[in-house]
Amino acid sequence: MTRQDGRAFDQLRPIKITTDFVKFAEGSCLIECGDTKVLCCASVEERTPPHVAEGEGWVTAEYSMLPRANRERSKRDVSKLKLSPRSAEIQRLVGRSLRAAVDMTKLGGHTVTIDCDVLQGDGGTRTASVTGGFIALCLACRKLVERGDLASSPVRHYVTGVSAGIVDDAALLDLQYSEDSRAQVDLNCIMNELGEIIELQGTGEGRAFSLTEQQELVRLCAKGNKELLNIQKQVLGGKF
Amino acid sequence: MTRQDGRAFDQLRPIKITTDFVKFAEGSCLIECGDTKVLCCASVEERTPPHVAEGEGWVTAEYSMLPRANRERSKRDVSKLKLSPRSAEIQRLVGRSLRAAVDMTKLGGHTVTIDCDVLQGDGGTRTASVTGGFIALCLACRKLVERGDLASSPVRHYVTGVSAGIVDDAALLDLQYSEDSRAQVDLNCIMNELGEIIELQGTGEGRAFSLTEQQELVRLCAKGNKELLNIQKQVLGGKF
Amino acid sequence: MTRQDGRAFDQLRPIKITTDFVKFAEGSCLIECGDTKVLCCASVEERTPPHVAEGEGWVTAEYSMLPRANRERSKRDVSKLKLSPRSAEIQRLVGRSLRAAVDMTKLGGHTVTIDCDVLQGDGGTRTASVTGGFIALCLACRKLVERGDLASSPVRHYVTGVSAGIVDDAALLDLQYSEDSRAQVDLNCIMNELGEIIELQGTGEGRAFSLTEQQELVRLCAKGNKELLNIQKQVLGGKF
Amino acid sequence: MTRQDGRAFDQLRPIKITTDFVKFAEGSCLIECGDTKVLCCASVEERTPPHVAEGEGWVTAEYSMLPRANRERSKRDVSKLKLSPRSAEIQRLVGRSLRAAVDMTKLGGHTVTIDCDVLQGDGGTRTASVTGGFIALCLACRKLVERGDLASSPVRHYVTGVSAGIVDDAALLDLQYSEDSRAQVDLNCIMNELGEIIELQGTGEGRAFSLTEQQELVRLCAKGNKELLNIQKQVLGGKF
Amino acid sequence: MTRQDGRAFDQLRPIKITTDFVKFAEGSCLIECGDTKVLCCASVEERTPPHVAEGEGWVTAEYSMLPRANRERSKRDVSKLKLSPRSAEIQRLVGRSLRAAVDMTKLGGHTVTIDCDVLQGDGGTRTASVTGGFIALCLACRKLVERGDLASSPVRHYVTGVSAGIVDDAALLDLQYSEDSRAQVDLNCIMNELGEIIELQGTGEGRAFSLTEQQELVRLCAKGNKELLNIQKQVLGGKF
Amino acid sequence: MTRQDGRAFDQLRPIKITTDFVKFAEGSCLIECGDTKVLCCASVEERTPPHVAEGEGWVTAEYSMLPRANRERSKRDVSKLKLSPRSAEIQRLVGRSLRAAVDMTKLGGHTVTIDCDVLQGDGGTRTASVTGGFIALCLACRKLVERGDLASSPVRHYVTGVSAGIVDDAALLDLQYSEDSRAQVDLNCIMNELGEIIELQGTGEGRAFSLTEQQELVRLCAKGNKELLNIQKQVLGGKF
């Protein structure tokens, strides 16, 4: 099967990460995966939500599409007076994925909010939000260490995310929109630097899939995540 | 490892399904999985949402916890003026899982809404909603056939759901709340009658998990789903 | 006039009260009045709203219909972002009725919230909510006494509620939906064990009614409430 | 018992009705009952809500307090994003009371909305809204007849409302706020010109009340309503 | 150009200010500018919002149209669950204009909220809200001084507002609705007693306007504001 | 007075306009005015709102800050369930300003929505939204002409916006945040290519201002707008 943009079945789209894209956030980057562009900003506040134990920190995420990030303009959430259920689902995924990487006792008393705003969407925005959000999180934690607010970075391991899917019965890595919109199966996989799984979400959109197919998709994601890990290491200069 | 209620690691909680629990819904059941109780009602309307193609049908789901379904009372969504993000995530999962089982052209012009209201929650409410929601869906489709609104049932295959998780590094099937609340890994798996996957959601809550562990959890779910399938067949009398 | 279900004009529908229907609420029951089924849960919190004087307690109620409790599915309140005005009216009635029965100084520092969720509605849901809510309230107060949180039950008297109405110019006790929907007059009456009135709401839906008719309806309600009182006493074992 | 303002136990506060208080509404009046001031505006639209049968009309009411109508400023409903439950209860009462007076087939195709906005509240705002709202409704219907939109007025009978209550165990007509706030029993009664009841709402706020007391309160209301009826007739010039 | 109501191009509509229109607000007036009628109420609370420095006071405004203040009935904000954007814009203007007149350190610890509710709208409601709101503000501050809550009035200077516009290429002072609705340019100007500008808002609704035209409109407003100032002085008895 | 960044009192910050910043919108640009960055996207829909006359078009604008566009993170509008009143005010200004430039009969049947999303805010975001929004609008109209949907561009004239203010009693053009936050007077001016005014908003934040000062500020804005006009012409290649 030939992919529209000529990629191999197991090839990522070109990745570009511009750190410090905005100047006020403690950490930020613009992550571009092909035509998908997500602005990830990490903001630090010196307070934690009520459910967090005294002396611990918290990491949370918010996700939103700009109204014209897609082929059709969509109404803003505020005009419908509700968070889009899809956004709710995604920001819970991003939040869980990034929290997994942080030692909350080391982050003591601080909340880091990762805002992932999709400027342009062409498939894979949720996994790009995780990969880019991790960069923003690390940069913000670094700033806390530089400022003397934290003794050392609370980040424990890398976190990357990528999707794979089955299109015309072929397993493909990193679906772009034109592939995603007709995929039979779509699977998102968030991993750490050891290739272990942090989050896994697979959906049979056109048909069910076998355990063998599921393993093939996870293996593709593992390959993609490994490459994303190397890019993260480069961007971050080899340390959190 | 000994489970609190004496179950084997790969044993489901007792399942009880009471069909036609309420009399107005086209299809309904109360599903009890141990102490988890979910009322599933299928309602049919003779119209479809705008995004559905002319002549096709639609299946959607809504999920909600009664305020005192849990150990602590929670505020109603309406008093916070927003759908709980967790409920949003779950009802999307239930909706996708049940839609997968339906031939929309056969359901032409009808919307079936599956309301899953948790009367008591003790872990596994989302997968119980899928398993019980499928029963309610079948009963409602049957009524449409009886009424002469449909020529034959649009249901194509069975759908069941169950969770598995890792607690104290041991893989266990069908976590109850006391296990779930301290699980390191939690995985939900929705399957059809061939043991193929429709939806898969795995989360490393305390730690990441290996591909081997992931496969072990899916295998446990496959076992549980097979048993749930038999119960569904019994309840439905062997036909959709 | 012959009633659809063969009842005498002054006869209640069969009443069934299942206590402890759910296990987490401090007090709960499922009350069934004919085909009307309301789940009543009493939840205790150790705090009171701002308007309550220091050292006093509070009792409040919430009322909601499940989406498919009725002949037609209705949208959830949260999807319309507002509490149904009918529910608002009803939950104020239930709250006032139950507050009347409680010595707030004896309940000091606690709030009891009575959630009345209608699983199936066939007329008389608001008065069933009062009658069942009172049982849940008593059970919750008992638990507070057992736990040692309260010295004695703050409940001062019984509270029951029932409706009567005029259908085809005949006064009938305890209207079911098929009667209620074509009633000319509808009257709800909440009483204590002395047959005194706590709340009275009468509505001329099809026509106005005379003072004589009003008195006849109240007398019918008094008869019904007396029978409900005996059932409450039986269920509660003769003490609050 | 001597009343604060020297009134007899069965004496209304001074009533003043200024018709056409605002110039755009099809009908309007400012009704003053002592210090209670409610602006009632009737607006006509040439369409009806979906639940109304083809060819019939509809009457509905909305009720609101201006933020500083009372001793304390209250927040606007919109800032809390919800209609006050008390307002919801009251506007349902006003709507039902006024609908009862209208022949919907004669109002064919029109909706009349009665807006009752309390400029100053000193007790009895809901019954003042009914009494004043009826005037606004009649004036609007007159305009429809004048315009040639209706052949004759659809109003069938007069509607007035007044409250009575028990204060210090004495039954009093037309409670003002200083009485209402310490009343043991509060009863609102809406009547037609024959002294028949359209709506009745009684609440034991401090204690329950006997059937005898209830009848005494209704009799007081009947007296007050008769006087209000005469004022309405005078204001309307003896015809609807 | 002859104006519909015979006014000269630089002539205000008749102004009538009724102070203490309602009795509970610390300060209130009904301001009538021709057929425009706005009820302005100033309410004092002994607390300030979080952004206000310790020991300082705060002044804020809210603006709303009653549903039938205009030619067409408009829905209440609460039924749309959002403040009308036009109201949001106007109440920000009123709040800024009145805050400018107050020495916040002298108002220490108090918030004054100016509610401007339009009973009837015929053009110029936002500037009438400023002119009338200032009266209500002064009366409330006086009451605070009388009560001994403040040593002296925190009001520093008078504030009046008026509009001017270009209709059929002619500059006119104080547009009424019939003029406003076809104005090419509309300009609102809030001034102090020295004729200095506090707020200026000009909009080319039908066409752009030159700097010369803009100055002519401001000069017209200055004349109108001077007359309004004299009325304010008279109403207030020559002192704040 | 020396400005922080060394600019002359009448000097604009550096302007950079990147057209087609996103690929799906019919027209888009990223406008940067110093550190202020606004993404402006024009979206075309083939329908118009109900208030628009048959055969005419419509132009509207929406404005929003990303949560971390500023020094402090602000909550998203949707989490507060209301559009920020400041955003409401601004998007009304942007909408009016751009509508003024369009011949609605030539735009027949189309709505153009200009989304202005502030990625980074450093003062002057509302005027940057107008200047950038105009570019996006022109590009979208061009596309409509290219597609054959419109015979010719409906844009009639250029529109630019800039602010000026008084800081330490000195009039300055194009305030950045550090100046804006301590300005005594702030004035925004939207102009066409003839230097005529479309919108004017002046606010005395610290003190009132004289007519002479007001004119000086408008003159400064005229100078700035002229320079912005030249940039617009260059970006657009000299035609709409």
Side-chain angles (χ1 to χ4, degrees), chain D residues 117-188:
Chain D
D117 286 274
V118 180
L119 305 189
Q120 193 166 278
D122 195 43
T125 61
R126 79 182 68 190
T127 48
S129 296
V130 170
T131 306
F134 178 78
I135 301 283
L137 170 64
C138 286
L139 295 177
C141 288
R142 247 180 226 185
K143 187 154 290 178
L144 287 174
V145 174
E146 282 166 22
R147 276 188 201 164
D149 286 349
L150 297 182
S152 63
S153 177
V155 178
R156 298 188 293 198
H157 58 70
Y158 288 88
V159 182
T160 58
V162 76
S163 78
I166 300 180
V167 182
D168 297 341
D169 294 316
L172 301 177
L173 179 64
D174 188 21
L175 304 185
Q176 62 197 63
Y177 178 79
S178 60
E179 294 165 338
D180 189 35
S181 61
R182 59 198 191 82
Q184 297 158 307
V185 178
D186 185 26
L187 184 141
N188 296 284

Side-chain angles (χ1 to χ4, degrees), chain A residues 12-172:
Chain A
L12 291 178
R13 288 175 284 178
I15 307 294
K16 186 176 163 196
I17 294 174
T18 310
T19 54
D20 298 320
F21 188 78
V22 292
K23 70 174 194 181
F24 299 126
E26 279 75 15
S28 78
C29 74
L30 180 73
I31 181 166
E32 300 174 68
C33 306
D35 276 338
T36 287
K37 299 182 186 192
V38 185
L39 175 55
C40 303
C41 296
S43 296
V44 181
E45 286 167 301
E46 291 189 25
R47 62 171 176 225
T48 53
H51 63 81
V52 171
E54 182 70 26
E56 303 217 336
W58 188 244
V59 173
T60 187
E62 298 195 0
Y63 170 97
S64 185
M65 286 269 180
L66 286 197
R68 197 54 197 281
N70 292 316
R71 276 146 186 83
E72 307 267 314
R73 183 176 188 272
S74 53
K75 286 190 179 172
R76 291 173 191 269
D77 285 347
V78 72
S79 76
K80 292 176 293 185
L81 287 175
K82 66 167 194 169
L83 182 62
S84 131
R86 180 180 168 275
S87 292
E89 182 182 297
I90 293 177
Q91 68 190 24
R92 281 168 57 86
L93 169 73
V94 178
R96 285 194 307 262
S97 299
L98 297 180
R99 264 196 299 284
V102 173
D103 181 339
M104 291 304 169
T105 58
K106 284 200 177 168
L107 187 58
H110 298 85
T111 296
V112 185
T113 303
I114 314 293
D115 286 294
C116 302
D117 286 274
V118 180
L119 305 188
Q120 193 168 279
D122 195 43
T125 60
R126 78 183 69 190
T127 48
S129 295
V130 170
T131 306
F134 179 77
I135 302 282
L137 170 65
C138 286
L139 295 177
C141 288
R142 246 180 227 184
K143 187 154 288 178
L144 287 175
V145 174
E146 281 166 23
R147 277 187 201 166
D149 286 349
L150 297 181
S152 61
S153 177
V155 179
R156 298 188 293 198
H157 57 71
Y158 288 87
V159 181
T160 59
V162 76
S163 78
I166 300 181
V167 183
D168 297 340
D169 294 316
L172 300 178

Side-chain angles (χ1 to χ4, degrees), chain C residues 125-146:
Chain C
T125 62
R126 78 183 68 191
T127 48
S129 296
V130 170
T131 306
F134 178 78
I135 301 283
L137 170 65
C138 286
L139 295 177
C141 288
R142 247 179 227 185
K143 187 155 287 177
L144 286 175
V145 174
E146 281 166 22

Side-chain angles (χ1 to χ4, degrees), chain D residues 21-26 30 35 37 39 41-45 47 62-64 66-73 75-79 81-84 91 113-117 119-122, chain E residues 21-26 30 35 37 39 41-45 47 62-64 66-73 75-79 81-84 91 113-117 119-122:
Chain D
F21 188 80
V22 292
K23 70 174 193 180
F24 298 125
E26 279 74 17
L30 180 72
D35 275 338
K37 299 182 186 191
L39 176 54
C41 295
S43 297
V44 180
E45 286 167 302
R47 62 169 177 225
E62 298 196 0
Y63 169 98
S64 184
L66 286 198
R68 197 54 196 282
N70 292 316
R71 277 147 186 84
E72 308 266 314
R73 182 177 188 272
K75 286 190 180 173
R76 290 173 194 268
D77 285 347
V78 71
S79 76
L81 287 174
K82 66 166 196 170
L83 182 62
S84 132
Q91 69 189 25
T113 303
I114 315 292
D115 286 294
C116 302
D117 286 274
L119 305 189
Q120 193 166 278
D122 195 43
Chain E
F21 187 79
V22 291
K23 71 175 192 178
F24 298 126
E26 279 76 15
L30 180 73
D35 276 338
K37 299 182 187 191
L39 175 54
C41 296
S43 296
V44 180
E45 286 167 302
R47 62 168 178 229
E62 298 195 0
Y63 169 97
S64 184
L66 287 196
R68 197 53 197 280
N70 292 316
R71 278 147 186 84
E72 308 268 313
R73 182 175 188 273
K75 286 190 179 173
R76 290 173 194 268
D77 285 348
V78 72
S79 76
L81 287 175
K82 67 167 197 168
L83 181 62
S84 130
Q91 69 189 24
T113 302
I114 315 292
D115 286 295
C116 302
D117 286 274
L119 305 189
Q120 191 167 278
D122 195 44

Side-chain angles (χ1 to χ4, degrees), chain A residues 21-26 35 37 43 62 64 68-71 73 76 78 81 83 115 117 120-121, chain F residues 21-24 26 35 37 43 62 64 68-71 73 76-78 81 83 115 117 120-121:
Chain A
F21 188 78
V22 292
K23 70 174 194 181
F24 299 126
E26 279 75 15
D35 276 338
K37 299 182 186 192
S43 296
E62 298 195 0
S64 185
R68 197 54 197 281
N70 292 316
R71 276 146 186 83
R73 183 176 188 272
R76 291 173 191 269
V78 72
L81 287 175
L83 182 62
D115 286 294
D117 286 274
Q120 193 168 279
Chain F
F21 187 79
V22 291
K23 71 174 192 179
F24 298 127
E26 280 75 16
D35 276 338
K37 299 183 187 191
S43 296
E62 298 195 1
S64 184
R68 197 53 197 281
N70 291 316
R71 277 146 186 86
R73 182 176 188 272
R76 289 173 194 267
D77 285 348
V78 72
L81 287 175
L83 182 62
D115 286 295
D117 286 274
Q120 192 167 280

